[in-house]
Amino acid sequence: QVELKESGGGSVQAGGSLRVSCLESGATYSRLCMGWLRRVPGMERHEVVAAVDSNGRTSYADSVMGRFTISRDNARRTHTLEMNNLKPEDSAMYVCAAGVGYCDLGTDFSWRGQGTVVTVSS
């Protein structure tokens, strides 16, 4: 059983930075693909914004490429999304996620946290 707990997020003005982190428990962490999804209010589907495998190989959505950085600490069972140059359109619920198998934006992120809100004002 994979359990995920987010921390961080909050509110910032456009151009600012925020960080969200996720602590995993309950599984063999090194076998997991870790990612961040986001969902805008009123939208049904989540957007996968970033993923990182156990070797630190990363994937990013075009919408965040060059602005967001995902990383993981296997010893601490955490992964973090550093968000820079934030835009109002980045406002969303950010959800920590985990999956197995090949790790990229197409991974089936079967396990998800509750989410944390990021709000970017113009």
Side-chain angles (χ1 to χ4, degrees):
Q1 181 70 20
V2 175
E3 296 187 358
L4 304 168
K5 177 63 177 177
E6 299 95 342
S7 60
S11 298
V12 69
Q13 289 189 325
S17 299
L18 286 172
R19 174 190 299 173
V20 289
S21 295
C22 179
L23 176 65
E24 185 275 340
S25 62
T28 303
Y29 187 73
S30 61
R31 295 183 179 178
L32 296 175
C33 171
M34 306 305 298
W36 285 97
L37 287 58
R38 67 184 181 186
R39 184 171 59 85
V40 175
M43 300 292 287
E44 291 187 4
R45 296 188 64 182
H46 288 80
E47 175 190 13
V48 181
V49 296
V52 58
D53 72 9
S54 60
N55 293 315
R57 186 181 63 87
T58 58
S59 301
Y60 295 98
D62 289 344
S63 57
V64 305
M65 185 78 71
R67 300 187 297 120
F68 290 13
T69 302
I70 188 171
S71 61
R72 66 190 282 167
D73 184 330
N74 290 333
R76 297 184 177 185
R77 309 173 74 91
T78 61
H79 72 288
T80 298
L81 187 68
E82 299 275 357
M83 302 177 286
N84 297 312
N85 191 21
L86 282 159
K87 304 175 181 180
E89 52 264 42
D90 294 317
S91 297
M93 174 76 77
Y94 282 73
V95 178
C96 168
V100 295
Y102 188 75
C103 188
D104 64 9
L105 301 184
T107 297
D108 179 12
F109 290 101
S110 302
W111 298 283
R112 300 181 181 186
Q114 295 296 310
T116 184
V117 176
V118 169
T119 303
V120 185
S121 58
S122 58

Short mmCIF file of all heavy atoms in Angstrom, two decimals, residues 11-73:
data_model
loop_
_atom_site.label_atom_id
_atom_site.label_comp_id
_atom_site.label_asym_id
_atom_site.label_seq_id
_atom_site.Cartn_x
_atom_site.Cartn_y
_atom_site.Cartn_z
N SER A 11 0.38 30.57 -2.03
CA SER A 11 0.04 31.64 -2.97
C SER A 11 1.26 32.49 -3.25
O SER A 11 2.08 32.74 -2.36
CB SER A 11 -1.07 32.52 -2.38
OG SER A 11 -2.24 31.78 -2.15
N VAL A 12 1.35 32.96 -4.49
CA VAL A 12 2.49 33.78 -4.89
C VAL A 12 2.05 34.64 -6.07
O VAL A 12 1.09 34.30 -6.77
CB VAL A 12 3.69 32.88 -5.27
CG1 VAL A 12 3.41 32.11 -6.56
CG2 VAL A 12 4.97 33.68 -5.39
N GLN A 13 2.76 35.73 -6.29
CA GLN A 13 2.48 36.55 -7.45
C GLN A 13 3.20 35.99 -8.67
O GLN A 13 4.20 35.26 -8.55
CB GLN A 13 2.94 37.99 -7.20
CG GLN A 13 2.07 38.72 -6.19
CD GLN A 13 2.40 40.20 -6.12
OE1 GLN A 13 3.54 40.60 -6.28
NE2 GLN A 13 1.38 41.02 -5.88
N ALA A 14 2.71 36.33 -9.82
CA ALA A 14 3.32 35.87 -11.07
C ALA A 14 4.81 36.23 -11.08
O ALA A 14 5.20 37.32 -10.67
CB ALA A 14 2.60 36.50 -12.25
N GLY A 15 5.61 35.27 -11.55
CA GLY A 15 7.05 35.44 -11.56
C GLY A 15 7.74 34.90 -10.33
O GLY A 15 8.97 34.76 -10.31
N GLY A 16 6.97 34.56 -9.32
CA GLY A 16 7.54 34.04 -8.08
C GLY A 16 7.79 32.55 -8.14
O GLY A 16 7.62 31.90 -9.18
N SER A 17 8.19 32.02 -6.98
CA SER A 17 8.56 30.60 -6.89
C SER A 17 7.87 29.95 -5.71
O SER A 17 7.61 30.59 -4.69
CB SER A 17 10.08 30.46 -6.71
OG SER A 17 10.78 31.02 -7.80
N LEU A 18 7.59 28.67 -5.87
CA LEU A 18 7.05 27.85 -4.79
C LEU A 18 7.63 26.44 -4.91
O LEU A 18 8.14 26.05 -5.95
CB LEU A 18 5.52 27.77 -4.88
CG LEU A 18 4.73 28.99 -4.47
CD1 LEU A 18 3.25 28.78 -4.81
CD2 LEU A 18 4.89 29.28 -2.99
N ARG A 19 7.49 25.69 -3.82
CA ARG A 19 7.95 24.31 -3.80
C ARG A 19 6.86 23.43 -3.20
O ARG A 19 6.22 23.82 -2.22
CB ARG A 19 9.21 24.20 -2.96
CG ARG A 19 9.71 22.77 -2.75
CD ARG A 19 10.80 22.74 -1.70
NE ARG A 19 11.95 23.54 -2.10
CZ ARG A 19 12.99 23.78 -1.31
NH1 ARG A 19 13.00 23.28 -0.09
NH2 ARG A 19 14.00 24.50 -1.73
N VAL A 20 6.67 22.28 -3.80
CA VAL A 20 5.80 21.26 -3.21
C VAL A 20 6.62 19.98 -3.05
O VAL A 20 7.45 19.65 -3.90
CB VAL A 20 4.54 20.99 -4.06
CG1 VAL A 20 3.58 22.16 -3.98
CG2 VAL A 20 4.90 20.71 -5.51
N SER A 21 6.40 19.31 -1.94
CA SER A 21 7.14 18.08 -1.65
C SER A 21 6.16 16.96 -1.30
O SER A 21 5.02 17.21 -0.92
CB SER A 21 8.09 18.30 -0.47
OG SER A 21 9.09 19.23 -0.80
N CYS A 22 6.66 15.74 -1.42
CA CYS A 22 5.82 14.58 -1.17
C CYS A 22 6.61 13.50 -0.45
O CYS A 22 7.72 13.16 -0.87
CB CYS A 22 5.30 14.03 -2.50
SG CYS A 22 4.26 12.57 -2.36
N LEU A 23 6.03 13.00 0.62
CA LEU A 23 6.63 11.92 1.38
C LEU A 23 5.87 10.64 1.10
O LEU A 23 4.64 10.61 1.22
CB LEU A 23 6.58 12.24 2.87
CG LEU A 23 7.07 11.15 3.83
CD1 LEU A 23 8.56 10.90 3.63
CD2 LEU A 23 6.78 11.54 5.27
N GLU A 24 6.59 9.58 0.75
CA GLU A 24 5.98 8.29 0.43
C GLU A 24 6.23 7.29 1.56
O GLU A 24 7.29 7.30 2.18
CB GLU A 24 6.56 7.75 -0.87
CG GLU A 24 5.92 6.46 -1.39
CD GLU A 24 6.50 5.20 -0.76
OE1 GLU A 24 7.63 5.26 -0.23
OE2 GLU A 24 5.81 4.16 -0.79
N SER A 25 5.27 6.47 1.79
CA SER A 25 5.45 5.38 2.75
C SER A 25 4.69 4.16 2.27
O SER A 25 3.71 4.27 1.53
CB SER A 25 4.96 5.78 4.14
OG SER A 25 3.58 6.07 4.12
N GLY A 26 5.18 2.98 2.66
CA GLY A 26 4.45 1.76 2.42
C GLY A 26 4.91 0.89 1.28
O GLY A 26 4.39 -0.21 1.09
N ALA A 27 5.89 1.34 0.48
CA ALA A 27 6.30 0.54 -0.66
C ALA A 27 7.82 0.57 -0.80
O ALA A 27 8.50 1.29 -0.08
CB ALA A 27 5.64 1.05 -1.93
N THR A 28 8.33 -0.24 -1.73
CA THR A 28 9.74 -0.18 -2.07
C THR A 28 9.96 1.05 -2.94
O THR A 28 9.69 1.02 -4.15
CB THR A 28 10.18 -1.46 -2.81
OG1 THR A 28 9.88 -2.59 -2.00
CG2 THR A 28 11.67 -1.40 -3.10
N TYR A 29 10.40 2.11 -2.33
CA TYR A 29 10.42 3.42 -2.97
C TYR A 29 11.22 3.42 -4.26
O TYR A 29 10.83 4.04 -5.24
CB TYR A 29 10.98 4.45 -1.99
CG TYR A 29 10.88 5.88 -2.49
CD1 TYR A 29 9.66 6.54 -2.54
CD2 TYR A 29 12.02 6.56 -2.90
CE1 TYR A 29 9.58 7.84 -2.99
CE2 TYR A 29 11.94 7.87 -3.36
CZ TYR A 29 10.72 8.50 -3.39
OH TYR A 29 10.64 9.78 -3.85
N SER A 30 12.35 2.69 -4.25
CA SER A 30 13.23 2.71 -5.42
C SER A 30 12.58 2.11 -6.65
O SER A 30 13.05 2.31 -7.77
CB SER A 30 14.54 1.99 -5.11
OG SER A 30 14.29 0.64 -4.80
N ARG A 31 11.51 1.37 -6.48
CA ARG A 31 10.82 0.76 -7.63
C ARG A 31 9.77 1.68 -8.23
O ARG A 31 9.19 1.36 -9.27
CB ARG A 31 10.16 -0.55 -7.21
CG ARG A 31 11.15 -1.62 -6.81
CD ARG A 31 10.44 -2.91 -6.48
NE ARG A 31 11.36 -3.97 -6.09
CZ ARG A 31 10.99 -5.18 -5.72
NH1 ARG A 31 9.70 -5.49 -5.68
NH2 ARG A 31 11.89 -6.07 -5.40
N LEU A 32 9.51 2.78 -7.56
CA LEU A 32 8.41 3.65 -7.98
C LEU A 32 8.86 4.76 -8.92
O LEU A 32 9.93 5.33 -8.75
CB LEU A 32 7.74 4.28 -6.77
CG LEU A 32 7.04 3.34 -5.80
CD1 LEU A 32 6.54 4.12 -4.60
CD2 LEU A 32 5.89 2.61 -6.47
N CYS A 33 8.00 5.04 -9.87
CA CYS A 33 8.09 6.27 -10.65
C CYS A 33 7.31 7.33 -9.88
O CYS A 33 6.14 7.10 -9.53
CB CYS A 33 7.49 6.06 -12.03
SG CYS A 33 7.31 7.58 -13.00
N MET A 34 7.92 8.46 -9.62
CA MET A 34 7.26 9.50 -8.84
C MET A 34 6.93 10.68 -9.75
O MET A 34 7.73 11.03 -10.63
CB MET A 34 8.13 9.96 -7.69
CG MET A 34 8.61 8.84 -6.78
SD MET A 34 7.26 7.84 -6.10
CE MET A 34 6.35 9.07 -5.16
N GLY A 35 5.77 11.28 -9.54
CA GLY A 35 5.38 12.36 -10.41
C GLY A 35 4.53 13.40 -9.70
O GLY A 35 4.15 13.24 -8.53
N TRP A 36 4.26 14.46 -10.42
CA TRP A 36 3.34 15.50 -9.98
C TRP A 36 2.30 15.72 -11.06
O TRP A 36 2.64 15.89 -12.23
CB TRP A 36 4.08 16.80 -9.69
CG TRP A 36 4.85 16.76 -8.42
CD1 TRP A 36 6.17 16.49 -8.27
CD2 TRP A 36 4.32 16.96 -7.10
NE1 TRP A 36 6.50 16.52 -6.94
CE2 TRP A 36 5.39 16.80 -6.20
CE3 TRP A 36 3.06 17.27 -6.59
CZ2 TRP A 36 5.23 16.94 -4.82
CZ3 TRP A 36 2.90 17.41 -5.23
CH2 TRP A 36 3.98 17.23 -4.36
N LEU A 37 1.05 15.71 -10.64
CA LEU A 37 -0.07 16.00 -11.51
C LEU A 37 -0.69 17.30 -11.03
O LEU A 37 -0.51 17.70 -9.89
CB LEU A 37 -1.11 14.88 -11.43
CG LEU A 37 -0.83 13.53 -12.07
CD1 LEU A 37 0.42 12.87 -11.53
CD2 LEU A 37 -2.03 12.62 -11.90
N ARG A 38 -1.47 17.95 -11.88
CA ARG A 38 -2.22 19.11 -11.44
C ARG A 38 -3.59 19.12 -12.09
O ARG A 38 -3.77 18.62 -13.20
CB ARG A 38 -1.48 20.42 -11.73
CG ARG A 38 -1.32 20.79 -13.18
CD ARG A 38 -0.47 22.05 -13.32
NE ARG A 38 -0.30 22.45 -14.71
CZ ARG A 38 0.49 23.45 -15.10
NH1 ARG A 38 1.20 24.14 -14.20
NH2 ARG A 38 0.59 23.75 -16.38
N ARG A 39 -4.53 19.65 -11.36
CA ARG A 39 -5.89 19.74 -11.86
C ARG A 39 -6.44 21.13 -11.59
O ARG A 39 -6.42 21.61 -10.46
CB ARG A 39 -6.78 18.69 -11.20
CG ARG A 39 -8.20 18.67 -11.75
CD ARG A 39 -8.97 17.46 -11.22
NE ARG A 39 -9.05 17.47 -9.76
CZ ARG A 39 -9.97 18.12 -9.07
NH1 ARG A 39 -10.88 18.84 -9.70
NH2 ARG A 39 -9.99 18.05 -7.75
N VAL A 40 -6.92 21.74 -12.64
CA VAL A 40 -7.51 23.07 -12.54
C VAL A 40 -8.98 22.91 -12.14
O VAL A 40 -9.66 22.02 -12.67
CB VAL A 40 -7.40 23.82 -13.88
CG1 VAL A 40 -8.12 25.16 -13.82
CG2 VAL A 40 -5.93 24.01 -14.24
N PRO A 41 -9.49 23.72 -11.24
CA PRO A 41 -10.91 23.62 -10.87
C PRO A 41 -11.81 23.68 -12.09
O PRO A 41 -11.61 24.51 -12.99
CB PRO A 41 -11.11 24.85 -9.97
CG PRO A 41 -9.77 25.10 -9.39
CD PRO A 41 -8.78 24.74 -10.46
N GLY A 42 -12.77 22.77 -12.13
CA GLY A 42 -13.69 22.71 -13.26
C GLY A 42 -13.24 21.76 -14.35
O GLY A 42 -14.03 21.44 -15.25
N MET A 43 -12.00 21.33 -14.29
CA MET A 43 -11.50 20.37 -15.28
C MET A 43 -11.56 18.98 -14.67
O MET A 43 -11.24 18.78 -13.51
CB MET A 43 -10.07 20.71 -15.67
CG MET A 43 -9.91 22.09 -16.27
SD MET A 43 -10.69 22.24 -17.88
CE MET A 43 -9.55 21.28 -18.87
N GLU A 44 -11.92 17.99 -15.48
CA GLU A 44 -12.04 16.63 -14.96
C GLU A 44 -10.70 15.92 -14.90
O GLU A 44 -10.47 15.12 -14.01
CB GLU A 44 -13.00 15.83 -15.84
CG GLU A 44 -14.44 16.27 -15.72
CD GLU A 44 -15.38 15.35 -16.47
OE1 GLU A 44 -14.91 14.34 -17.01
OE2 GLU A 44 -16.59 15.65 -16.48
N ARG A 45 -9.84 16.19 -15.86
CA ARG A 45 -8.61 15.41 -15.96
C ARG A 45 -7.44 16.13 -15.33
O ARG A 45 -7.38 17.36 -15.29
CB ARG A 45 -8.30 15.12 -17.43
CG ARG A 45 -9.33 14.26 -18.11
CD ARG A 45 -8.86 13.86 -19.49
NE ARG A 45 -7.66 13.01 -19.42
CZ ARG A 45 -7.04 12.55 -20.49
NH1 ARG A 45 -7.46 12.83 -21.69
NH2 ARG A 45 -5.97 11.79 -20.36
N HIS A 46 -6.52 15.32 -14.81
CA HIS A 46 -5.26 15.86 -14.32
C HIS A 46 -4.27 15.98 -15.48
O HIS A 46 -4.29 15.20 -16.42
CB HIS A 46 -4.67 14.91 -13.27
CG HIS A 46 -5.40 14.91 -11.96
ND1 HIS A 46 -6.56 14.21 -11.75
CD2 HIS A 46 -5.10 15.53 -10.79
CE1 HIS A 46 -6.95 14.37 -10.51
NE2 HIS A 46 -6.09 15.18 -9.89
N GLU A 47 -3.41 16.95 -15.37
CA GLU A 47 -2.28 17.09 -16.29
C GLU A 47 -1.04 16.57 -15.56
O GLU A 47 -0.78 16.98 -14.43
CB GLU A 47 -2.07 18.55 -16.68
CG GLU A 47 -0.82 18.78 -17.54
CD GLU A 47 -0.49 20.25 -17.73
OE1 GLU A 47 -1.06 21.11 -17.02
OE2 GLU A 47 0.36 20.55 -18.59
N VAL A 48 -0.32 15.69 -16.19
CA VAL A 48 0.94 15.22 -15.63
C VAL A 48 2.00 16.25 -15.98
O VAL A 48 2.27 16.49 -17.16
CB VAL A 48 1.35 13.84 -16.18
CG1 VAL A 48 2.65 13.38 -15.54
CG2 VAL A 48 0.23 12.83 -15.93
N VAL A 49 2.58 16.88 -14.99
CA VAL A 49 3.52 17.96 -15.28
C VAL A 49 4.97 17.51 -15.21
O VAL A 49 5.82 18.08 -15.88
CB VAL A 49 3.30 19.18 -14.35
CG1 VAL A 49 1.94 19.79 -14.61
CG2 VAL A 49 3.46 18.82 -12.89
N ALA A 50 5.26 16.49 -14.39
CA ALA A 50 6.65 16.05 -14.27
C ALA A 50 6.72 14.66 -13.68
O ALA A 50 5.83 14.26 -12.91
CB ALA A 50 7.45 17.02 -13.40
N ALA A 51 7.78 13.95 -14.03
CA ALA A 51 8.01 12.61 -13.49
C ALA A 51 9.51 12.41 -13.32
O ALA A 51 10.31 12.99 -14.05
CB ALA A 51 7.44 11.54 -14.42
N VAL A 52 9.85 11.54 -12.34
CA VAL A 52 11.26 11.24 -12.10
C VAL A 52 11.39 9.78 -11.71
O VAL A 52 10.63 9.28 -10.87
CB VAL A 52 11.86 12.17 -11.02
CG1 VAL A 52 11.11 12.08 -9.70
CG2 VAL A 52 13.35 11.92 -10.83
N ASP A 53 12.34 9.08 -12.34
CA ASP A 53 12.53 7.68 -11.98
C ASP A 53 13.57 7.55 -10.87
O ASP A 53 14.13 8.54 -10.41
CB ASP A 53 12.86 6.85 -13.22
CG ASP A 53 14.27 7.08 -13.77
OD1 ASP A 53 15.08 7.77 -13.11
OD2 ASP A 53 14.55 6.57 -14.86
N SER A 54 13.84 6.32 -10.46
CA SER A 54 14.71 6.09 -9.31
C SER A 54 16.16 6.48 -9.58
O SER A 54 16.94 6.67 -8.65
CB SER A 54 14.65 4.62 -8.89
OG SER A 54 15.07 3.79 -9.96
N ASN A 55 16.51 6.63 -10.86
CA ASN A 55 17.87 7.06 -11.21
C ASN A 55 17.97 8.57 -11.43
O ASN A 55 19.03 9.07 -11.79
CB ASN A 55 18.32 6.35 -12.49
CG ASN A 55 18.50 4.86 -12.27
OD1 ASN A 55 19.09 4.44 -11.27
ND2 ASN A 55 17.97 4.06 -13.18
N GLY A 56 16.86 9.25 -11.23
CA GLY A 56 16.86 10.70 -11.37
C GLY A 56 16.56 11.20 -12.77
O GLY A 56 16.63 12.40 -13.03
N ARG A 57 16.20 10.29 -13.66
CA ARG A 57 15.84 10.71 -15.02
C ARG A 57 14.47 11.38 -14.98
O ARG A 57 13.53 10.83 -14.41
CB ARG A 57 15.83 9.53 -15.97
CG ARG A 57 15.60 9.90 -17.43
CD ARG A 57 15.58 8.64 -18.30
NE ARG A 57 14.49 7.76 -17.94
CZ ARG A 57 13.27 7.86 -18.44
NH1 ARG A 57 12.96 8.83 -19.29
NH2 ARG A 57 12.33 7.00 -18.08
N THR A 58 14.37 12.55 -15.61
CA THR A 58 13.16 13.36 -15.49
C THR A 58 12.43 13.56 -16.82
O THR A 58 13.04 13.46 -17.89
CB THR A 58 13.50 14.75 -14.92
OG1 THR A 58 14.47 15.37 -15.78
CG2 THR A 58 14.08 14.64 -13.52
N SER A 59 11.14 13.83 -16.70
CA SER A 59 10.31 14.17 -17.86
C SER A 59 9.43 15.35 -17.45
O SER A 59 8.98 15.41 -16.30
CB SER A 59 9.42 13.00 -18.26
OG SER A 59 10.17 11.85 -18.59
N TYR A 60 9.17 16.26 -18.41
CA TYR A 60 8.38 17.45 -18.11
C TYR A 60 7.37 17.71 -19.22
O TYR A 60 7.64 17.49 -20.40
CB TYR A 60 9.28 18.68 -18.00
CG TYR A 60 10.25 18.64 -16.85
CD1 TYR A 60 11.57 18.23 -17.06
CD2 TYR A 60 9.87 19.00 -15.58
CE1 TYR A 60 12.47 18.18 -16.01
CE2 TYR A 60 10.76 18.96 -14.52
CZ TYR A 60 12.05 18.55 -14.74
OH TYR A 60 12.94 18.50 -13.70
N ALA A 61 6.22 18.22 -18.80
CA ALA A 61 5.26 18.70 -19.77
C ALA A 61 5.81 19.97 -20.43
O ALA A 61 6.54 20.74 -19.81
CB ALA A 61 3.93 19.01 -19.08
N ASP A 62 5.43 20.19 -21.68
CA ASP A 62 5.89 21.38 -22.39
C ASP A 62 5.51 22.65 -21.65
O ASP A 62 6.25 23.64 -21.68
CB ASP A 62 5.30 21.41 -23.80
CG ASP A 62 5.91 20.34 -24.70
OD1 ASP A 62 6.97 19.79 -24.35
OD2 ASP A 62 5.30 20.07 -25.75
N SER A 63 4.38 22.63 -20.97
CA SER A 63 3.88 23.83 -20.31
C SER A 63 4.75 24.29 -19.14
O SER A 63 4.66 25.44 -18.71
CB SER A 63 2.45 23.59 -19.81
OG SER A 63 2.41 22.48 -18.93
N VAL A 64 5.59 23.38 -18.61
CA VAL A 64 6.41 23.74 -17.45
C VAL A 64 7.90 23.61 -17.73
O VAL A 64 8.73 23.93 -16.87
CB VAL A 64 6.04 22.89 -16.22
CG1 VAL A 64 4.55 23.00 -15.93
CG2 VAL A 64 6.45 21.44 -16.39
N MET A 65 8.24 23.11 -18.91
CA MET A 65 9.66 22.89 -19.26
C MET A 65 10.46 24.18 -19.07
O MET A 65 10.07 25.25 -19.51
CB MET A 65 9.74 22.44 -20.70
CG MET A 65 11.14 22.07 -21.17
SD MET A 65 11.64 20.45 -20.60
CE MET A 65 10.59 19.41 -21.61
N GLY A 66 11.59 24.05 -18.38
CA GLY A 66 12.47 25.20 -18.16
C GLY A 66 12.10 26.03 -16.96
O GLY A 66 12.88 26.90 -16.54
N ARG A 67 10.94 25.80 -16.37
CA ARG A 67 10.51 26.57 -15.20
C ARG A 67 10.40 25.70 -13.95
O ARG A 67 10.64 26.16 -12.84
CB ARG A 67 9.16 27.23 -15.47
CG ARG A 67 9.17 28.18 -16.65
CD ARG A 67 7.84 28.94 -16.76
NE ARG A 67 6.70 28.06 -17.01
CZ ARG A 67 5.66 27.97 -16.19
NH1 ARG A 67 5.59 28.69 -15.09
NH2 ARG A 67 4.66 27.15 -16.52
N PHE A 68 10.01 24.45 -14.13
CA PHE A 68 9.83 23.52 -13.02
C PHE A 68 10.96 22.50 -13.01
O PHE A 68 11.44 22.08 -14.07
CB PHE A 68 8.50 22.77 -13.14
CG PHE A 68 7.27 23.61 -12.92
CD1 PHE A 68 7.30 24.99 -12.89
CD2 PHE A 68 6.04 22.99 -12.74
CE1 PHE A 68 6.16 25.75 -12.69
CE2 PHE A 68 4.88 23.72 -12.53
CZ PHE A 68 4.94 25.10 -12.52
N THR A 69 11.33 22.07 -11.80
CA THR A 69 12.35 21.04 -11.63
C THR A 69 11.85 20.00 -10.64
O THR A 69 11.50 20.35 -9.50
CB THR A 69 13.67 21.63 -11.13
OG1 THR A 69 14.14 22.62 -12.05
CG2 THR A 69 14.72 20.53 -11.00
N ILE A 70 11.84 18.75 -11.06
CA ILE A 70 11.45 17.66 -10.17
C ILE A 70 12.71 16.92 -9.73
O ILE A 70 13.65 16.74 -10.52
CB ILE A 70 10.45 16.70 -10.85
CG1 ILE A 70 9.90 15.69 -9.84
CG2 ILE A 70 11.08 15.99 -12.05
CD1 ILE A 70 8.75 14.85 -10.37
N SER A 71 12.73 16.52 -8.48
CA SER A 71 13.87 15.76 -7.95
C SER A 71 13.35 14.79 -6.90
O SER A 71 12.22 14.93 -6.42
CB SER A 71 14.91 16.70 -7.35
OG SER A 71 14.36 17.45 -6.29
N ARG A 72 14.19 13.81 -6.57
CA ARG A 72 13.79 12.86 -5.53
C ARG A 72 14.99 12.50 -4.67
O ARG A 72 16.14 12.55 -5.11
CB ARG A 72 13.18 11.60 -6.14
CG ARG A 72 14.12 10.76 -6.95
CD ARG A 72 13.38 9.67 -7.70
NE ARG A 72 13.01 8.53 -6.86
CZ ARG A 72 12.14 7.59 -7.23
NH1 ARG A 72 11.53 7.67 -8.41
NH2 ARG A 72 11.88 6.58 -6.43
N ASP A 73 14.68 12.14 -3.44
CA ASP A 73 15.69 11.68 -2.47
C ASP A 73 15.24 10.29 -2.06
O ASP A 73 14.32 10.14 -1.25
CB ASP A 73 15.75 12.64 -1.28
CG ASP A 73 16.84 12.28 -0.29
OD1 ASP A 73 17.16 11.07 -0.16
OD2 ASP A 73 17.35 13.18 0.37
#
